[in-house]
Amino acid sequence: MKEELNILIQAQYPLIYLVTSEEERAEQAIYRVATSELKPQRRVYVWTVTHGIVEYGQPRSTTQHNTVSPEAAVEWIIRQKEPGIFILKDLHPFIDAPATTRSLRDAIASFKGMQKNIILMSPIQQVPIELEKEIVVIDFQLPDMSELNKVLTQHQDQNRGKSLTTEAKEKLLRAALGLTKDETEKVYRKAQVTAGRLTEDEVDIVLSEKKQLIRRNGILEYIEEDETIDAVGGLEELKKWLKQRSNAFTGRAREYGLPQPKGMLILGVPGCGKSLIAKTTSRLWGLPILRLDMGRVYDGSMVGRSEANLRNALKTAESISPTILFIDELDKSFAGSAGSGDSDGGTSSRIFGSFLTWMQEKRSPVFVMATANRVERLPGEFLRKGRFDEIFFVDLPTPEERQDIFNIHLTKRRKDTARFDLEQLAKMSEGFSGAEIEQAIVAAMYEAFAQDREFTQLDIIAALKATLPLSRTMQEQVTALRDWARQRARPAAASVAEYQRMEF
């Protein structure tokens, strides 16, 4: 980022929008460019709505007279005869005001040949249409491993901690990836206070704090899943695909010449294990999994806030990669995005476009795992080759898979499953999803518990007979989904996949 900023300033770009929440670190980077990279050196000034314009490094009491309002500040900048860099912090609440927009355009016109630059610094990107052709937007990247290493070394020196091995240091640094410099300093101090030291054994403390910081954002959620992939009944073809890629993000895979997996889309009938298999992949691959809640991305309180939410969420996911980004019910998140311009000012279309562009161009090892129930609601751009490595279709379980599902859920609740006839239960549950089978077992247990006895085969059969499965209540939707998937998606069940290979 420092190199890009240096180039833009030297190229006399008059207006630069720096998106960041790390004000102090960004100011220091700009000051280093102004004093060590530019010839001659330039003075740096900082404006805030609370103090007006103050020269960088000077006390706040030395404010330039009467520069608190944005228009007065820009007017003062225009009057300056010497080259300089002028940082305007958090201008986004005022930038849409006609007077502010006009004053910035006047400043741009007056800067020609003057070696002056205005840098708008804000955690929220908000650019009025009048300035779109004049402004360049750059993201201030979160600290990389080398910057975090300086924080760790400084912490060790201050606390006189024993020297760390290279492996221990790498673990602590990787655990802090995705945090700001201030957050990293606080997390290391917390680990020091909690354990009285900072070694590789305190990595879990750093990670637990990192999870809290991600949750505080409200858009990404750190998922912890105790179940393994063996808790999913059937879907052997899908499991095989995932197991083959369990080491896909290692250095050994790169040396072999394999590209990093992009992602997968799992289509299917509700309740058939799509979400569960996505969550259990985290344990299989040994990667953290973050759920992206698209409902929380949309924010109508301020123009541009939704797009900023998505950018921040994707940036966070990339910063802690390799990771799995899980989006449940993708069809609801982007349904009708192409025609939503009238209802929400085009926010859905912009969010959809931003997400598609990110998926196509991302280089970081973020594996997108998405699930969907209604394929007809998905925009066609999602389904074209290249967005996802594979599209799997999860159908209603076969008789053999239903036996597996009954066995898994009964074993969870009772060690003795020999008294149950799984083959009969599988026949009685034709058309049932995995979730409906589980609920039938739970209903049978409640019935028996109320009568103070052990539940039996007959209780489960009675619960199955009392249930009307989704495959009957939504028969047309299930049939349409199967027809679509037959030619366009890969079956998740091994028996269906084998049949299709033989047919081919």
Side-chain angles (χ1 to χ4, degrees):
M1 197 290 304
K2 183 181 171 185
E3 292 77 9
E4 186 178 3
L5 193 61
N6 184 14
I7 291 167
L8 292 174
I9 291 170
Q10 289 199 52
Q12 297 184 34
Y13 275 67
L15 195 55
I16 301 166
Y17 202 126
L18 189 61
V19 183
T20 180
S21 56
E22 294 187 271
E23 288 184 349
E24 185 182 349
R25 184 168 153 257
E27 282 176 32
Q28 290 171 354
I30 294 166
Y31 185 72
R32 281 196 298 271
V33 169
T35 55
S36 61
E37 304 289 336
L38 301 179
K39 303 294 182 212
Q41 294 183 356
R42 295 194 201 172
R43 297 168 85 173
V44 178
Y45 296 88
V46 179
W47 173 87
T48 60
V49 74
T50 48
H51 294 94
I53 292 179
V54 179
E55 187 170 356
Y56 181 78
Q58 298 297 315
R60 288 180 174 176
S61 57
T62 60
T63 181
Q64 302 301 324
H65 180 65
N66 202 21
T67 56
V68 169
S69 78
E71 295 81 18
V74 176
E75 188 181 336
W76 183 90
I77 292 168
I78 293 172
R79 290 200 307 269
Q80 300 312 298
K81 303 300 182 187
E82 294 181 4
I85 298 173
F86 306 90
I87 303 169
L88 307 185
K89 290 185 182 178
D90 292 336
L91 193 69
H92 60 272
F94 314 99
I95 200 166
D96 282 322
T100 305
T101 307
R102 184 65 254 176
S103 62
L104 285 170
R105 295 189 77 184
D106 291 343
I108 291 166
S110 72
F111 281 7
K112 290 177 181 176
M114 292 287 292
Q115 294 187 331
K116 292 199 293 190
N117 312 83
I118 290 178
I119 298 178
L120 307 180
M121 187 188 295
S122 170
I124 297 171
Q125 180 182 325
Q126 190 168 331
V127 180
I129 193 167
E130 297 91 338
L131 295 173
E132 282 182 356
K133 298 291 186 183
E134 311 286 353
I135 202 166
V136 58
V137 180
I138 57 175
D139 288 307
F140 191 69
Q141 302 297 328
L142 289 165
D144 57 18
M145 292 279 277
S146 63
E147 288 181 274
L148 293 176
N149 188 33
K150 290 176 186 175
V151 175
L152 180 58
T153 303
Q154 187 178 6
H155 177 90
Q156 289 291 94
D157 292 343
Q158 288 174 351
N159 292 276
R160 296 175 185 171
K162 66 175 185 178
S163 60
L164 298 167
T165 64
T166 305
E167 186 181 351
K169 186 177 280 191
E170 188 174 344
K171 283 183 180 178
L172 284 166
L173 294 177
R174 287 207 173 277
L177 271 177
L179 304 181
T180 65
K181 184 183 174 186
D182 286 343
E183 287 169 343
T184 304
E185 288 171 350
K186 286 188 283 189
V187 167
Y188 286 159
R189 286 201 300 270
K190 179 184 177 183
Q192 185 79 37
V193 170
T194 306
R197 60 182 186 174
L198 185 59
T199 67
E200 62 183 307
D201 295 331
E202 280 66 63
V203 166
D204 284 343
I205 296 174
V206 180
L207 285 174
S208 66
E209 187 70 9
K210 188 173 179 179
K211 292 170 190 175
Q212 289 300 322
L213 291 166
I214 289 170
R215 285 178 182 141
R216 191 198 308 159
N217 177 270
I219 298 167
L220 286 176
E221 179 189 356
Y222 210 110
I223 299 176
E224 296 180 80
E225 182 59 55
D226 295 329
E227 298 280 12
T228 67
I229 202 164
D230 296 327
V232 182
L235 312 185
E236 294 305 324
E237 189 76 7
L238 175 51
K239 289 180 186 176
K240 178 185 172 185
W241 192 92
L242 291 170
K243 286 173 182 175
Q244 283 179 340
R245 286 155 182 78
S246 58
N247 294 314
F249 293 103
T250 61
R252 191 165 61 88
R254 299 293 80 71
E255 290 169 10
Y256 192 80
L258 285 171
Q260 292 170 347
K262 288 183 177 180
M264 69 186 301
L265 175 62
I266 309 175
L267 302 170
V269 183
C272 286
K274 300 188 299 297
S275 299
L276 181 59
I277 200 144
K279 293 174 187 175
T280 54
T281 302
S282 171
R283 295 250 339 237
L284 177 68
W285 287 4
L287 298 180
I289 181 167
L290 305 176
R291 188 209 309 269
L292 176 61
D293 188 338
M294 292 303 300
R296 293 177 184 173
V297 167
Y298 292 98
D299 186 341
S301 63
M302 191 184 295
V303 176
R305 187 60 186 265
S306 300
E307 294 90 322
N309 286 343
L310 180 65
R311 271 196 307 274
N312 290 336
L314 297 177
K315 198 190 303 180
T316 302
E318 287 185 321
S319 67
I320 64 167
S321 58
T323 186
I324 299 168
L325 187 66
F326 174 47
I327 308 174
D328 203 10
E329 298 187 334
L330 188 73
D331 46 328
K332 291 182 181 176
S333 304
F334 292 113
S337 60
S340 63
D342 295 334
S343 59
D344 63 2
T347 300
S348 297
S349 297
R350 291 195 299 273
I351 291 286
F352 174 62
S354 298
F355 188 73
L356 276 185
T357 302
W358 175 79
M359 278 193 69
Q360 189 67 31
E361 297 179 357
K362 71 181 172 72
R363 296 289 178 266
S364 54
V366 178
F367 186 83
V368 179
M369 207 163 201
T371 68
N373 297 324
R374 301 283 297 273
V375 70
E376 74 276 6
R377 288 183 177 177
L378 279 175
E381 296 93 324
F382 259 128
L383 303 172
R384 86 164 176 78
K385 286 291 183 183
R387 303 284 187 212
F388 295 100
D389 295 321
E390 194 63 84
I391 300 175
F392 275 97
F393 173 62
V394 179
D395 203 346
L396 290 165
T398 62
E400 294 78 14
E401 288 177 331
R402 292 199 294 276
Q403 282 193 50
D404 283 345
I405 293 167
F406 271 111
N407 188 44
I408 287 167
H409 289 300
L410 288 170
T411 304
K412 265 189 202 175
R413 293 162 174 84
R414 294 291 184 271
K415 289 184 179 177
D416 177 26
T417 59
R419 58 195 176 90
F420 296 102
D421 184 348
L422 300 182
E423 192 174 343
Q424 185 190 23
L425 291 174
K427 285 179 182 175
M428 297 294 297
S429 58
E430 186 177 354
F432 279 63
S433 67
E436 289 165 340
I437 287 171
E438 182 181 14
Q439 285 309 304
I441 294 171
V442 170
M445 291 178 72
Y446 268 115
E447 180 70 27
F449 180 74
Q451 298 175 28
D452 197 23
R453 61 179 177 80
E454 184 60 26
F455 73 103
T456 65
Q457 177 99 357
L458 291 175
D459 291 318
I460 299 175
I461 291 172
L464 291 171
K465 286 183 175 179
T467 304
L468 188 63
L470 205 64
S471 61
R472 290 180 206 159
T473 58
M474 301 175 68
Q475 188 173 358
E476 295 83 4
Q477 183 185 321
V478 172
T479 303
L481 184 58
R482 281 174 171 163
D483 291 341
W484 184 93
R486 191 171 289 116
Q487 300 296 329
R488 299 175 179 88
R490 184 171 172 178
S495 56
V496 181
E498 185 60 33
Y499 173 77
Q500 285 194 2
R501 281 193 285 268
M502 288 171 64
E503 193 180 45
F504 179 75

